[in-house]
Amino acid sequence: MAHVTFGGNPVTLVGHEVKVGDQAPNFKVIDNDLNEKTLSDFKGVRLISSVPSLDTGVCDAQTRRFNEEAGKIDGVTVLTISVDLPFAQKRWCGASGLDHVITLSDHRDLSFGEAYGVVIKELRLLSRAVFVVNSNDEITYVEYVDEVTHHPNYEAALAAVKEAK
């Protein structure tokens, strides 16, 4: 598993670490209207952004950055997944005015978190990570951010999105 810290302290990631070339694992999450969604509900190239909580500065900035950049790339779907409740995600999206990112909640089952190896055992939050899945459901990019309070490598993730098209 990836070695990750939160505030400089080591944390334990639970689940299955994925790698480039793997078939993207399916998962069940909840959208902002309380509907169950799976990976297969979204087609084409998908950028999956895993964040601990939208109510924090880095998560907010990460989601806004991917929203802005996704608006410039045709045919990509950006999914931001956290364990925030769907109500909080909906409120955050409404206040933020984002239109190119879909927020999804993994609070119920941690299905996504376990499938992608990003559940922080000690906190029951998702670790910061970015995955790119191509239209054949293959993982073409993986970044487990080594310190949860740091930003991901936006440029590398966006380059991987463009390559996956």
Side-chain angles (χ1 to χ4, degrees):
M1 291 296 293
H3 296 285
V4 173
T5 58
F6 190 103
N9 299 310
V11 294
T12 307
L13 295 185
V14 176
H16 307 282
E17 183 176 2
V18 297
K19 296 178 176 48
V20 171
D22 288 352
Q23 195 68 20
N26 206 5
F27 53 82
K28 290 181 186 176
V29 290
I30 306 296
D31 72 10
N32 292 175
D33 294 319
L34 304 178
N35 299 305
E36 192 172 89
K37 296 291 183 181
T38 66
L39 178 67
S40 58
D41 287 322
F42 306 98
K43 302 298 181 199
V45 175
R46 286 137 299 171
L47 183 148
I48 303 173
S49 174
S50 171
V51 300
S53 175
L54 290 169
D55 284 331
T56 65
V58 176
C59 299
D60 177 280
Q62 178 176 333
T63 304
R64 288 176 185 276
R65 174 77 184 270
F66 284 136
N67 176 73
E68 179 184 324
E69 299 295 337
K72 301 173 188 174
I73 305 170
D74 289 332
V76 63
T77 301
V78 178
L79 307 174
T80 293
I81 304 177
S82 72
V83 294
D84 293 313
L85 293 175
F87 313 109
Q89 289 182 342
K90 188 173 190 173
R91 183 182 66 248
W92 183 88
C93 287
S96 302
L98 303 184
D99 54 357
H100 297 293
V101 67
I102 299 166
T103 57
L104 300 165
S105 176
D106 200 22
H107 85 280
R108 186 177 66 188
D109 301 323
L110 295 176
S111 172
F112 166 79
E114 290 179 0
Y116 286 73
V118 293
V119 176
I120 300 173
K121 178 180 179 180
E122 295 83 354
L123 302 171
R124 200 180 189 281
L125 295 173
L126 301 184
S127 186
R128 187 172 317 283
V130 180
F131 309 94
V132 175
V133 179
N134 68 17
S135 57
N136 295 320
D137 289 338
E138 297 166 333
I139 295 177
T140 62
Y141 177 83
V142 173
E143 180 186 8
Y144 290 93
V145 180
D146 61 354
E147 166 57 50
V148 177
T149 62
H150 292 171
H151 288 269
N153 185 335
Y154 297 109
E155 290 74 21
L158 292 165
V161 166
K162 292 174 184 173
E163 282 183 28
K165 293 191 60 58

